[in-house]
Amino acid sequence: MPAQNNYPEIILSVDQINLSFGGVKALEDINFDIRKKEIFAIIGPNGAGKTSMLNVINGFYHPQHGEIRFKGLHRKQMRPHEAAVQGIARTFQNVALFKGMTTLNNIMSGRNLKMKSNIFWQALYYGPARKEEMENREVVEYIIDFLEIQSIRRTPVGKLPYGLQKRVELGRALAMEPDLLLLDEPMAGMNIEEKQDMCRFILDINEQFGTTIVLIEHDMSVVMDLSERMIVLDYGRKIAEGNPDEIRSNQKVIDAYLGVAHSN
Amino acid sequence: MFYREAGQFKTTYIADQELFPVKQDRWGLLIIIGFSFVVIPVVANDYWLQAILIPFLIFSLAALGLNLLTGYAGQLSLGTGGFMAVGAYSCYKLITIFPNTNVIVLILLSGFVAAGFGLIFGIPSLRIKGFYLAVATLAAQFFFEWLFARVGWFYNYNDSGAIEVPVRKVFDIAVTGPIATTEARYIVVLSIVTTLALIATNIVRGRIGRAWMAIRDMDIAAELIGIRPLYTKLIAFGISSYYAGVAGALYVFTYLGAAEVEVFDINISFEILFMVIIGGLGSISGAFFGSAFIVLIPILITNLPLILGIPINAATVEHFNFMIVGALIVLFLIFEPHGLAKIWSIMREKLRVWPFPY
Ligand SMILES: Nc1ncnc2c1ncn2[C@@H]1O[C@H](COP(=O)(O)OP(=O)(O)O)[C@@H](O)[C@H]1O
Ligand SMILES: [Mg+2]
């Protein structure tokens, strides 16, 4: 069945995206496709436009030109809320958790779109409201076990160390059961052990739930291990695309990005 | 997507999600409610009921409403007095139009009128935040003060300009008006406040409560998990105004007996905001702590010197009241934004592990 090989393979295509802030061009003519169920990386030096790219994908920034196609749906602009409905979840470079809420409530809030019971049932905490709360709680408990954060269930997340906050944020994104998961530097500021845990979670999420993952990461060894394909951004332009071997041997990439290490 | 072990968790979650997972807390609350309904009306004298308990409960309800909006959803409002006035005047008009309807039903209905206006005045919250939103809610406060003072229809063109509460009976017992006993009014207020407090507790522990707190803590991230900011904030304004409206109706119908719009001026808005801050932002019990505090402080300041035999005049009491409440608000904002409710829970935690320090 050749038709099946064409359409369902690509979950997201980015077409000629141009984004600028005043005079600053954050993204210029960016094109790439993300295949279903792959782990795809976006790398590049600081200020290259990686975070901006994620912000365009989940509707937080609106590009001046270009188009995003997600699950076959074309769009030029959409609200972040719509992106969530479509099945896009993400985490942030500088953790964006709900600081006053517990781990449990943060992750439960990720189930928001799955919960439908109306305010009258909720006021009584009975019938559909109660049932829905229990069902979603089960899913959340599964995620808590999966991420091994049982012991901080009731802790307000503002009080957690940074590494655990990143994990809770991943849990909240996961609770949305997304088709596409965008991770912005999920390992930044972590020690080796925490990084290893995070790598394991990312691989397990991809494998067990079949979630497509887009990953921004600075640690090259991590990126090369985790991702099947990647693009390299530099000053808002795409300078390379390919699998880890191709990227490693790409002269442009070595100059722009890895070159920094070489010159030392 | 996720594998579920059917049924295995269920029983534990239901227990875990209970309102008060700790048995002592559950019993404690039931005892307090039972005591309030059964013992207090018998033992408390008129002074206690009229001067302390009834206003305490009514202000608790208003503070609870504001706490839903400000403490949970993070939207500052200075319009509480205005929405209380809407509740009171709606109830007055409803009782004029439907003289034979149960007055408790009318009090509860008048909350919906306040909720409707709360929704309208909540619309600016999509665009403006914090201080600027507070200023916008002041517009509601002044608009309603002006409306109920100037438009005679609202007070049935009485010469006095005041609304006067007629006698209404429930099960043949007068609950409003001059002949209603303090006990009867107390029971009405207590029933309504208890019910609405339980409802508030249910709302904040479910989807809506989480959405409010998410908007409060990080609105951008909230939107990215599919929470719609305007819708969520408007629900907060609506429900909060419902509570304010019912509190306003109770204030006139079961406490004052007659009132002009001045009783709902900007001072009451601030007073209720202070209750929320002192009691604890984002806490249901905090509303009760805060209200008890603000109601009791002036009584203590008045009576303590008398007991000690020191003469004190009314103006001095008022000054002391301002100073103490003002200082406490500053202290709480700096040192314990979660207020008395948090202090109480720390004490309780200590008590539970007592005598061991950990
Ligand atoms: N909201 C914004 N307003 C103005 N400039 C921005 C904004 N977001 C990003 N930029 C600019 O776009 C460029 C790319 O930034 P970013 O996407 O954060 O890079 P990266 O994540 O690769 O480090 C930078 O020059 C940055 O200053
Ligand atoms: Mg970035």
Side-chain angles (χ1 to χ4, degrees):
Chain A
M1 284 180 278
Q4 214 169 14
N5 287 335
N6 287 328
Y7 160 62
E9 271 285 289
I10 306 295
I11 186 168
L12 178 99
S13 31
V14 170
D15 188 16
Q16 286 296 110
I17 291 293
N18 279 269
L19 174 78
S20 51
F21 298 99
V24 183
K25 286 198 167 169
L27 295 170
E28 251 186 293
D29 297 332
I30 305 292
N31 295 293
F32 62 89
D33 287 338
I34 291 169
R35 297 175 192 155
K36 211 167 184 175
K37 300 199 177 174
E38 77 176 333
I39 299 182
F40 185 91
I42 301 177
I43 64 173
N46 264 330
K50 305 181 297 296
T51 300
S52 302
M53 191 62 241
L54 293 197
N55 283 340
V56 168
I57 293 174
N58 77 348
F60 192 56
Y61 287 167
H62 296 149
Q64 279 82 13
H65 298 285
E67 205 176 55
I68 301 281
R69 200 178 69 196
F70 182 61
K71 294 198 282 190
L73 224 80
H74 289 262
R75 62 182 167 83
K76 208 171 143 64
Q77 289 202 351
M78 74 163 146
R79 304 279 306 157
H81 165 258
E82 293 164 322
V85 174
Q86 296 280 318
I88 302 178
R90 79 172 280 185
T91 66
F92 292 80
Q93 194 169 338
N94 331 297
V95 184
L97 283 170
F98 309 127
K99 293 260 186 311
M101 297 161 71
T102 60
T103 297
L104 186 61
N105 269 338
N106 266 278
I107 303 180
M108 274 300 273
S109 70
R111 301 297 295 171
N112 181 65
L113 285 171
K114 311 275 177 197
M115 301 177 80
K116 305 276 182 239
S117 79
N118 65 38
I119 186 159
F120 295 101
W121 285 119
Q122 289 197 55
L124 301 174
Y125 203 81
Y126 192 73
R130 195 185 176 91
K131 182 161 168 278
E132 180 178 83
E133 193 81 10
M134 297 307 146
E135 283 169 358
N136 286 286
R137 176 72 187 276
E138 255 175 69
V139 177
V140 167
E141 286 296 332
Y142 180 82
I143 292 170
I144 287 176
D145 287 345
F146 178 84
L147 294 175
E148 298 158 15
I149 46 178
Q150 297 89 338
S151 61
I152 55 165
R153 218 190 243 107
R154 302 255 173 220
T155 315
V157 295
K159 292 191 175 143
L160 294 173
Y162 187 72
L164 279 179
Q165 291 197 7
K166 286 240 160 199
R167 217 185 269 192
V168 175
E169 200 188 18
L170 178 64
R172 185 182 65 191
L174 213 48
M176 295 168 69
E177 299 186 45
D179 298 317
L180 180 65
L181 180 58
L182 313 174
L183 305 175
D184 196 345
E185 305 200 15
M187 281 161 261
M190 286 186 169
N191 63 34
I192 305 247
E193 215 169 296
E194 290 173 324
K195 276 189 186 178
Q196 282 170 348
D197 283 340
M198 190 53 92
C199 280
R200 184 164 51 84
F201 294 138
I202 292 172
L203 286 171
D204 284 353
I205 290 165
N206 180 248
E207 201 152 292
Q208 288 187 28
F209 314 136
T211 312
T212 311
I213 295 173
V214 178
L215 173 78
I216 296 177
E217 184 48 53
H218 272 302
D219 189 328
M220 288 308 280
S221 66
V222 167
V223 175
M224 297 296 171
D225 280 353
L226 280 180
S227 54
E228 292 137 57
R229 296 189 314 125
M230 64 192 75
I231 57 168
V232 185
L233 297 183
D234 192 24
Y235 293 111
R237 292 174 168 279
K238 182 176 91 174
I239 59 169
E241 175 168 2
N243 62 36
D245 288 334
E246 289 165 338
I247 297 297
R248 251 190 289 252
S249 55
N250 185 309
Q251 192 55 45
K252 271 191 191 166
V253 178
I254 294 169
D255 290 345
Y257 189 62
L258 305 175
V260 182
H262 282 218
S263 65
N264 285 342
Chain B
M1 174 170 168
F2 294 108
Y3 166 70
R4 289 184 192 172
E5 287 161 283
Q8 185 194 317
F9 290 117
K10 215 129 215 164
T11 47
T12 51
Y13 289 151
I14 289 175
D16 194 43
Q17 302 277 78
E18 285 301 341
L19 205 45
F20 298 92
V22 183
K23 237 188 195 140
Q24 285 87 331
D25 286 359
R26 196 153 60 232
W27 283 110
L29 186 79
L30 281 177
I31 288 168
I32 291 173
I33 293 177
F35 184 82
S36 308
F37 273 99
V38 181
V39 182
I40 286 183
V42 179
V43 298
N45 59 23
D46 262 12
Y47 173 78
W48 266 87
L49 291 174
Q50 175 67 19
I52 298 173
L53 289 168
I54 293 178
F56 155 70
L57 286 169
I58 294 172
F59 285 130
S60 297
L61 186 63
L64 185 54
L66 183 61
N67 214 343
L68 296 179
L69 182 65
T70 303
Y72 283 92
Q75 311 299 306
L76 187 54
S77 167
L78 295 174
T80 313
F83 293 111
M84 289 175 77
V86 173
Y89 280 81
S90 306
C91 196
Y92 185 65
K93 289 312 290 186
L94 283 170
I95 215 164
T96 311
I97 300 165
F98 306 105
N100 298 320
T101 309
N102 185 323
V103 65
I104 293 175
V105 171
L106 295 181
I107 289 172
L108 292 174
L109 280 179
S110 50
F112 286 106
V113 182
F117 284 103
L119 289 177
I120 293 168
F121 281 93
I123 291 172
S125 69
L126 181 66
R127 291 253 173 259
I128 52 179
K129 291 177 187 172
F131 175 73
Y132 297 97
L133 180 63
V135 173
T137 58
L138 266 184
Q141 174 70 40
F142 292 127
F143 170 72
F144 289 121
E145 273 186 54
W146 171 85
L147 185 72
F148 297 131
R150 291 303 164 86
V151 181
W153 181 78
F154 288 108
Y155 50 85
N156 290 356
Y157 305 101
N158 287 338
D159 291 335
S160 63
I163 51 177
E164 268 157 45
V165 177
V167 174
R168 286 293 180 275
K169 292 182 177 177
V170 174
F171 300 129
D172 253 2
I173 300 167
V175 295
T176 64
I179 62 163
T181 62
T182 330
E183 285 82 2
R185 288 183 284 121
Y186 167 79
I187 290 292
V188 167
V189 174
L190 181 65
S191 312
I192 291 177
V193 173
T194 307
T195 310
L196 289 182
L198 286 174
I199 286 176
T201 313
N202 286 339
I203 289 174
V204 299
R205 66 188 170 134
R207 171 173 60 84
I208 294 175
R210 284 190 297 267
W212 284 347
M213 292 186 275
I215 289 282
R216 172 195 70 190
D217 285 351
M218 181 75 69
D219 53 356
I220 291 168
E223 203 175 346
L224 293 173
I225 57 174
I227 292 168
R228 280 173 293 172
L230 180 61
Y231 175 78
T232 307
K233 288 176 189 174
L234 285 185
I235 288 188
F237 271 97
I239 294 180
S240 164
S241 306
Y242 180 86
Y243 280 69
V246 173
L250 287 174
Y251 194 50
V252 173
F253 277 68
T254 64
Y255 177 61
L256 298 175
E260 292 173 45
V261 75
E262 280 76 30
V263 303
F264 296 115
D265 66 6
I266 182 76
N267 288 324
I268 202 169
S269 294
F270 275 112
E271 206 153 272
I272 287 160
L273 181 62
F274 296 159
M275 291 176 191
V276 172
I277 292 170
I278 291 178
L281 286 159
S283 151
I284 301 291
S285 59
F288 289 87
F289 283 117
S291 166
F293 202 85
I294 299 275
V295 170
L296 286 176
I297 278 278
I299 293 172
L300 278 180
I301 299 173
T302 317
N303 289 319
L304 213 58
L306 290 180
I307 294 166
L308 299 174
I310 306 164
I312 188 167
N313 66 31
T316 320
V317 168
E318 189 134 313
H319 288 149
F320 268 118
N321 191 24
F322 274 131
M323 276 162 20
I324 291 176
V325 171
L328 280 168
I329 284 163
V330 174
L331 289 177
F332 271 110
L333 282 177
I334 296 172
F335 295 109
E336 188 49 86
H338 297 292
L340 289 171
K342 179 73 183 198
I343 292 171
W344 165 247
S345 88
I346 292 170
M347 272 168 36
R348 203 184 48 187
E349 208 53 46
K350 291 241 164 78
L351 214 63
R352 195 180 292 165
V353 293
W354 191 83
F356 308 104
Y358 295 104

